[in-house]
Amino acid sequence: MLTPQLVMYEDEVRQMQAVADRLQHDSRSQAVLVVDKNGQLIAASGSAHELDTTSLSSLVAGNVAATGGIAKLIEEEEFTGQFHEGKGISVHMSIVGRKMILVVLFDKNTTHGLVRLRVKKASTELETILDEVAKKAQHPQVNVFAEITDADIDNLFND
Amino acid sequence: MSFINYSSREINCKLVYYGPGLCGKTTNLQYIYSKTKADAKGKMISLATETERTLFFDFLPLSLGDIRGFRTRFHLYTVPGQVFYDASRKLILKGVDGVCFVADSQMERMEANIESLENLRDNLTEQGYELDKLPYVIQYNKRDLPSAVPIEELSEMLNTTRVPEFEAVATTGIGVFDTLKALAKQVLTELRKGS
């Protein structure tokens, strides 16, 4: 298959979480999410636990995909950043390493300028981690699911 | 593209319901949502027009339980069925792990079914997938309608590769979970093979 599984190990997730935590603190934002382009949440920081992060991740990915579609139509390579300004909360989204989306939710406690500045630094850090993920993917670890039995699968549907 | 997170011990898979306009893709998800326990589902999101037609996608996250210590989560998506939303359909197929083609059993929708199935194959190819290599099931919906084409005919026309097929009446839930289970099983079986 063209797109292999995305496998994230604890080390990389922990590092991404640390980047998200630092970004949330340094940018004085409310919440930070690291989402993969297919809408899977990888790390969340700040007040993210109060949000429906699953839905948010899916919609963010849909939004970025739609914007990517627009870029393709007008022969622009990619729109790397998006900004939605709200009355209370604004959202800054940026694509990192072509694979991830960094989402920052912020209010009047900070400025868009500061958020953008901090996002730039965090993006570089995330790209380094993503390179590690890509390297590990080239040397796949043991597939823990190789031993899944039909009974295991059937048990999921027993209710 | 399934996503395995060793940190949170979760497997996430993306299932897409595809089919012609008004075939019942959204109704499938609505039924699943209505019959799933609160702790096993997230919020269902529908990006629809004012007339309740899917504009971009519907989204329903489901959590099925644990398998080998990993929580299995399925993200169910529908595409907009109307022909002119093709650009959106292509986007939603990105990263797909399994496809359910929902066919409309009514005689007058046969052409739309065939056109949509061809569109599915084309759009998958464009994304670098092959329908015949993906977990894939077919659902013949609206079996309760008087103009429903006999199942043998539908099967011959739409299921040329003999994948699992199910009769359904999505409004009342008949066949809805059977379809979902069959697809989810195929996707999990695929996981055994690894990337």
Side-chain angles (χ1 to χ4, degrees), chain A residues 1-10 13-14 36 38-42 52 54-56 58-59 61-63 65-69 72-73 137 140-154 156-157 159, chain B residues 1-7 9 11-14 37 43 45 47 56-57 59 61 64-68 70 72-73 75 77 91 94-96 126-129 133-135 180-181 184-185 188-195:
Chain A
M1 201 171 290
L2 186 81
T3 46
Q5 287 169 349
L6 170 66
V7 180
M8 297 284 294
Y9 294 97
E10 282 181 40
V13 173
R14 202 168 39 234
D36 102 307
N38 293 318
Q40 308 286 0
L41 180 71
I42 313 240
D52 179 356
T54 307
S55 301
L56 204 54
S58 160
L59 288 171
N63 193 343
T67 312
K72 210 173 158 189
L73 280 178
Q141 321 274 314
V142 178
N143 177 12
V144 291
F145 303 106
E147 305 295 315
I148 291 178
T149 61
D150 287 342
D152 285 334
I153 295 173
D154 285 334
L156 280 180
F157 298 98
D159 59 19
Chain B
M1 180 175 72
S2 54
F3 168 44
I4 300 169
N5 189 334
Y6 278 83
S7 181
R9 299 193 77 75
I11 317 165
N12 291 272
C13 303
K14 178 176 181 175
K37 284 181 283 185
K43 203 171 159 190
I45 289 183
L47 302 180
F56 195 5
F57 59 77
F59 169 70
L64 282 187
D66 285 11
I67 194 160
R68 301 273 157 155
F70 280 74
T72 54
R73 299 178 64 179
H75 288 182
Y77 285 83
L91 297 177
K94 282 186 182 174
V96 66
E126 212 174 289
Q127 307 283 343
Y129 297 101
K133 288 186 179 165
L134 274 177
L180 172 65
K181 282 177 190 178
K185 275 186 186 179
L188 291 171
T189 307
E190 200 62 25
L191 269 181
R192 275 188 209 163
K193 300 176 191 165
S195 53

Side-chain angles (χ1 to χ4, degrees), chain A residues 75-158:
Chain A
E75 294 177 7
E76 180 60 51
E77 194 186 337
E78 191 173 60
F79 294 123
T80 45
Q82 285 186 52
F83 173 53
H84 299 303
E85 188 173 8
K87 264 188 188 167
I89 294 182
S90 297
V91 185
H92 180 91
M93 296 178 233
S94 51
I95 299 175
V96 180
R98 291 180 169 266
K99 283 197 169 72
M100 300 283 163
I101 307 162
L102 187 53
V103 187
V104 183
L105 283 80
F106 62 97
D107 60 14
K108 299 270 186 292
N109 279 325
T110 185
T111 63
H112 188 205
L114 179 66
V115 169
R116 284 181 64 167
L117 184 74
R118 300 303 187 201
V119 160
K120 215 171 174 181
K121 185 171 172 252
S123 297
T124 314
E125 292 170 354
L126 284 176
E127 276 173 21
T128 313
I129 303 167
L130 282 175
D131 286 345
E132 270 312 303
V133 174
K135 266 186 216 160
K136 275 196 181 173
Q138 283 172 353
H139 307 284
Q141 321 274 314
V142 178
N143 177 12
V144 291
F145 303 106
E147 305 295 315
I148 291 178
T149 61
D150 287 342
D152 285 334
I153 295 173
D154 285 334
N155 282 339
L156 280 180
F157 298 98
N158 288 341

Side-chain angles (χ1 to χ4, degrees), chain B residues 121-174:
Chain B
R121 278 190 188 277
D122 291 347
N123 283 343
L124 281 171
T125 308
E126 212 174 289
Q127 307 283 343
Y129 297 101
E130 268 182 72
L131 181 58
D132 301 330
K133 288 186 179 165
L134 274 177
Y136 167 45
V137 297
I138 298 181
Q139 180 188 80
Y140 306 113
N141 193 24
K142 308 194 188 184
R143 295 307 300 157
D144 57 329
L145 295 187
S147 66
V149 174
I151 205 76
E152 298 76 21
E153 253 179 71
L154 279 168
S155 185
E156 196 181 321
M157 231 181 315
L158 302 171
N159 193 4
T160 50
T161 51
R162 309 315 310 155
V163 296
E165 53 188 11
F166 299 89
E167 294 188 58
V169 183
T171 45
T172 58
I174 296 171

Side-chain angles (χ1 to χ4, degrees), chain B residues 58-123:
Chain B
D58 303 301
F59 169 70
L60 172 61
L62 287 182
S63 183
L64 282 187
D66 285 11
I67 194 160
R68 301 273 157 155
F70 280 74
R71 192 147 63 109
T72 54
R73 299 178 64 179
F74 285 91
H75 288 182
L76 275 49
Y77 285 83
T78 66
V79 297
Q82 295 177 84
V83 175
F84 53 86
Y85 288 134
D86 198 37
S88 303
R89 276 194 293 279
K90 287 179 191 174
L91 297 177
I92 292 150
L93 284 175
K94 282 186 182 174
V96 66
D97 290 303
V99 179
C100 170
F101 182 80
V102 182
D104 189 326
S105 293
Q106 298 175 93
M107 178 61 93
E108 55 272 31
R109 297 298 287 161
M110 274 315 100
E111 220 177 296
N113 286 329
I114 293 167
E115 196 183 331
S116 177
L117 191 54
E118 280 172 4
N119 176 256
L120 168 63
R121 278 190 188 277
D122 291 347
N123 283 343

